[in-house]
Each structure stands twice: as C-alpha cells, then as structure tokens.
C-alpha cells in the first residue's frame, strides 16, 4: 500500500472541499425552498378555512357581523380588506345577490368620523372601487378636510396613521408635512402610541410603519429601523405580541406582523423565531376548527373581528391592500338563510387602540356580558355552519376557496421537484468525487 504524503493528503482535502461546494449549496437551497413551501402550504390552508368561516358570518344584507349581532359597517369594511388580501373579489361574496360592497355603498353617507372615512376608503380601494365617488361620498375629500396646518390629520396619532394609509390606498400624494408630523411622534423607545400622551405599543407601532412606508418613507430610514427594533424587543416567548405587556393576542400580533412586512422584514423567518415560534406560527396556532382565530390562548372573543385581522397578516400583506390585476373571480354562492339577527350591533373598529380593535370611547362600552354574547351560541344570531343542511352551497364555496388557494400554493411544485433532483444528484456527485480522489491515492 502506498504511503500517504502531506502534499497528497492536502490535495485530496482540497479536491473534496471543491467538489463539496456545489452540492452543499444546492442542498441548502433545496432545504430552504422545501421549508418555505411547507410554510406557505400551512398558511394557504389556514386562510382557506378562515374564508369559509367569514362566509358563515355574512348576513342577508351583504354585511358581516359577530355572532349575536347585526351587520357592522366597520367590520364589513375590514372583511373586504381581508378578502381582497387573499386574492378574491369581495363583489363576488354574495348573499341574496348582495355583496359587502353593496352593503357599504348604501351606508356610505352615514359615515361621520375621520376613522369611518379612512377605513371605508381602505376597503373601497382594496375592492377596486373609486373612493372619490362611493355611495355618493368623496371619501378622499372627507379625509383631507381634517388636515391641519401643521400636517396633523385628526386628533390622535391613530387617526392620523389610518388617514395616511387611506390616502395612499386611494393613490393620493401624502403631504410631506403629514409624514414629518407622524415621524416626530416616535417615542424614545422607538415605538408609537395611540395618542401623543400614550406609551408605545406594538399595535400602533405596526400601523405607523405601514403608514410611513405607504407614504413614501424609505425602509432604510432610521425611524423605520427604530420601530422594528422596538417590535423585536416586544416579541413574547410564544412568538406573538401583546397589548401593554399582557398575554400575546392575535390582534396585536397581526398589526405587528403587517408592520414588519411593510418594513421589509419576514415575520415568518428564523430571524423572528423566539423560543416557541415565529409570529406567523403563533397566528396559525390560534385557529379553531371552524376557521376563526381565537383572541388569545385563554380568551376566545370577537371571532369575526380577529379573523379579518389575521388573514392579511398571515399573507404578509401590509396596508394599503392593493387589488391584484388578476384577482380570483370565484363566485361565492347566493343564498337565503333565516331571519336577521335581532341584537343591536357591536361597534367594532379596527384601530390600534387595544387588542379588541376598539377606539377609546367604544372600549368603555365593552362588558363581560357583551363578550359572552358574541363569542358563542346565541340562538338569535345567524351562525351558519358549513354543516348546516340548509346551507349546502357554503360547503361548495369552501371547496372552491380551498382549491383556489391550493392551486396558488402548488404553482412552484415542479420547480421544487427539480431542485430535489438536483440536490440528490449533487450529493451523489460529491460522494463519487471523494471516493475517486481517495482511490487514486492508493
């Protein structure tokens, strides 16, 4: 047997290292792609179930409501944003041939507050409608009428934030003074609060990041970077975010996730993995069997509201939601299902004021009794379950939703198969070259 020399040993090692580079890179690429595909598949299935649940909450007037409540303009507007974020046309979500856009259009003139105009403008723009002429109202003009000389829109940071996002959604240029005013409200910890007197919270910080980026601020700006660092500091061990240090909840986590997505971060990546998971994994873990998302681990309230918040976040779609050019045109079934709910509607507004999505004034009216009435089994609500024999068309719609989402997720399956083949071939080539190099020395 030939004796090994140090030069021959070095040569073998160099050859092995060189032959290893390509297959290792290919293998790492395959693993990364495979992990992303698995994550996207889980998200797609979750969103499909959530859309099915939302369909059960659509009322005879085309609007959406919590269990035990009547249709709410604000909840319906946010539902339109969620549906559009998932790639579906809200105008095809029909009940009695009435869509949520029809419902909102009929009630546009009843909007009176800045936040009403802003949320409605977001929904109208996401649906591809004209916010300057919707239901006889120029939503853009209504928002601009609240602009103060110093650039502030409205009375609160929260009002201002959503007004900027709404203007961006409508394709309107955002005044430079308005952007500067909002950036100057950043707290020393890098976060933003609901008002100028409020401490920072992840809800408002996530919303402000979306507003600033939508208004043209560079993602590399120090204001954005400091806000992202604040969110990193706030992340809990379970991967989620909480309101003022309480347990993680899906509402706070959703706003934070959308803010991170707007900043260029990937909230589903390893860089955002805490000891128990990523923010995306936390949101996925909060979904119940019927498709809605729990508020938190220990509380299951406002299921429809939580669901419309989570859908865009899971899809990493920050506001404003821009309607895709080729949106999925799968029609939702038209059907009639029983009497309307008799309870007075809950005023649910998607501000960043707290984890329930209420403004400060509305929050005072929320009671434990109301919470129980909208979380479950009131016989007065129209809880149309997919298992309800009187609503068989809903199951068909759910299948269509799932098939559409699955089709989008399978788009890159062939490329993934090729990558796996290349990875396997690369490893075989590496083994062959190493064995050949060793054999040549004997």
């Amino acid at each position: 047997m030939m004796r090994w020399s140090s030069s021959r040993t070095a040569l073998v090692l160099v050859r092995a290292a060189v032959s290893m580079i390509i297959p290792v890179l290919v293998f790492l690429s395959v693993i990364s792609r495979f992990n992303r595909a698995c994550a996207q598949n889980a998200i797609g299935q979750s969103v499909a179930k959530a859309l099915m649940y939302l369909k059960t909450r659509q009322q005879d007037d085309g609007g959406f409501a919590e269990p035990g409540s009547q249709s709410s303009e604000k909840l319906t507007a946010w539902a339109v944003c969620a549906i559009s974020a998932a790639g579906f046309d809200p105008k095809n979500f029909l009940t009695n041939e009435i869509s949520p856009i029809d419902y909102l259009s009929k009630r546009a003139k009843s909007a009176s507050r800045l936040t009403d105009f802003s949320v409605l403008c977001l929904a109208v723009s996401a649906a591809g409608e004209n916010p300057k002429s919707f239901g006889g109202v120029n939503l853009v003009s209504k928002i601009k009428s609240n602009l103060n000389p110093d650039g502030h829109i409205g009375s609160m940071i929260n009002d201002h934030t959503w007004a900027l996002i709404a203007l961006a959604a409508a394709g309107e240029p955002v005044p430079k003074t308005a952007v500067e005013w909002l950036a100057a409200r950043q707290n020393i910890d890098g976060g933003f609060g609901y008002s100028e007197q409020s401490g920072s919270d992840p809800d408002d910080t996530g919303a402000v990041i979306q507003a600033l980026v939508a208004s043209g601020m560079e993602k590399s700006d120090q204001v954005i970077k400091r806000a992202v660092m604040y969110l990193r500091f706030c992340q809990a061990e379970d991967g989620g975010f909480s309101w003022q240090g309480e347990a993680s909840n899906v509402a706070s986590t959703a706003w934070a996730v959308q803010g991170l997505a707007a900043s260029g971060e990937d909230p589903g990546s390893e860089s955002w993995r805490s000891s128990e998971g990523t923010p995306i994994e936390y949101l996925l873990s909060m979904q119940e069997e019927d498709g809605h998302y729990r508020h938190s681990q220990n509380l299951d309230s406002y299921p429809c509201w939580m669901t419309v918040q989570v859908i865009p976040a899971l899809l990493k779609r920050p506001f404003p939601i821009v309607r895709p050019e080729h949106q999925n045109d799968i029609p939702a079934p038209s059907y009639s299902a029983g009497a309307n709910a008799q309870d007075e509607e809950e005023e649910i507004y998607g501000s960043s004021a707290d984890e329930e999505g209420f403004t400060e004034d509305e929050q005072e009216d929320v009671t434990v009794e109301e919470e129980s009435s909208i979380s479950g089994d009131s016989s007065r609500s129209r809880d149309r379950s997919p298992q309800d024999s009187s609503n068989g068309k809903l199951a068909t719609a759910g299948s269509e939703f799932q098939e559409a989402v699955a089709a989008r997720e399978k788009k890159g399956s062939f490329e993934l198969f090729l990558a796996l083949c290349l990875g396997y071939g690369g490893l075989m080539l590496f083994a062959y070259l190493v064995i050949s190099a060793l054999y040549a020395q004997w």
Side-chain angles (χ1 to χ4, degrees), residues 235-241 248 253 257 267 272-280 282:
Q235 189 179 12
E237 291 299 310
D238 58 11
F241 293 84
S248 295
T253 302
V257 163
W272 283 94
R273 178 176 296 281
S274 62
S275 60
E276 297 178 25
T278 67
I280 295 296
Y282 169 79

Side-chain angles (χ1 to χ4, degrees), residues 50-270:
L51 288 170
M52 291 172 66
Y53 172 77
L54 280 186
K55 196 69 186 71
T56 70
R57 299 308 322 145
Q58 190 174 19
Q59 308 299 294
D60 288 335
D61 56 12
F64 290 85
E66 293 285 4
S69 300
Q70 294 177 344
S71 296
S72 161
E73 289 92 337
K74 296 174 180 112
L75 180 57
T76 300
W78 288 111
V80 166
C81 291
I83 293 166
S84 295
F88 292 90
D89 189 344
K91 292 188 287 292
N92 285 334
F93 266 64
L94 301 173
T95 179
N96 294 333
E97 300 301 323
I98 305 173
S99 76
I101 301 301
D102 297 327
Y103 170 84
L104 292 174
S105 179
K106 291 179 181 178
R107 292 159 179 79
K109 291 182 179 179
S110 66
S112 58
R113 298 183 301 176
L114 172 59
T115 49
D116 296 336
F117 298 126
S118 296
V119 176
L120 188 54
C121 184
L122 283 175
V124 170
S125 300
E129 298 292 310
N130 183 7
K132 293 184 178 180
S133 179
F134 183 76
V137 179
N138 187 330
L139 300 171
V140 174
S141 293
K142 292 289 187 181
I143 295 171
K144 287 185 174 181
S145 67
N146 289 271
L147 179 63
N148 297 303
D150 65 350
H152 185 199
I153 304 176
S155 60
M156 298 283 194
I157 293 176
N158 180 263
D159 297 342
H160 184 93
T161 297
W162 289 104
L164 294 195
I165 298 176
L167 289 176
E172 290 292 305
V174 177
K176 183 179 179 182
T177 54
V179 178
E180 292 173 345
W181 186 94
L182 183 56
R185 306 280 87 74
Q186 189 168 35
N187 292 326
I188 192 171
D189 57 8
F192 292 82
Y194 182 77
S195 68
E196 294 186 70
Q197 293 75 39
S198 303
S200 301
D201 63 80
D203 306 53
D204 285 285
T205 301
V208 169
I209 293 175
Q210 294 174 75
L212 292 174
V213 173
S215 300
M217 180 175 285
E218 295 292 335
K219 298 176 182 179
S220 58
D221 193 286
Q222 283 302 311
V223 174
I224 302 297
K225 288 186 175 181
R226 289 182 60 209
V228 170
M229 287 302 297
Y230 168 78
L231 290 178
R232 190 175 291 279
F233 174 78
C234 290
Q235 189 179 12
E237 291 299 310
D238 58 11
F241 293 84
S242 64
W243 170 258
Q244 296 184 342
E246 299 175 357
S248 295
N249 67 81
V250 299
S252 297
T253 302
W255 292 132
V257 163
Q258 287 178 281
L260 291 173
S263 73
E265 294 283 325
D266 182 358
S269 68
E270 289 300 310

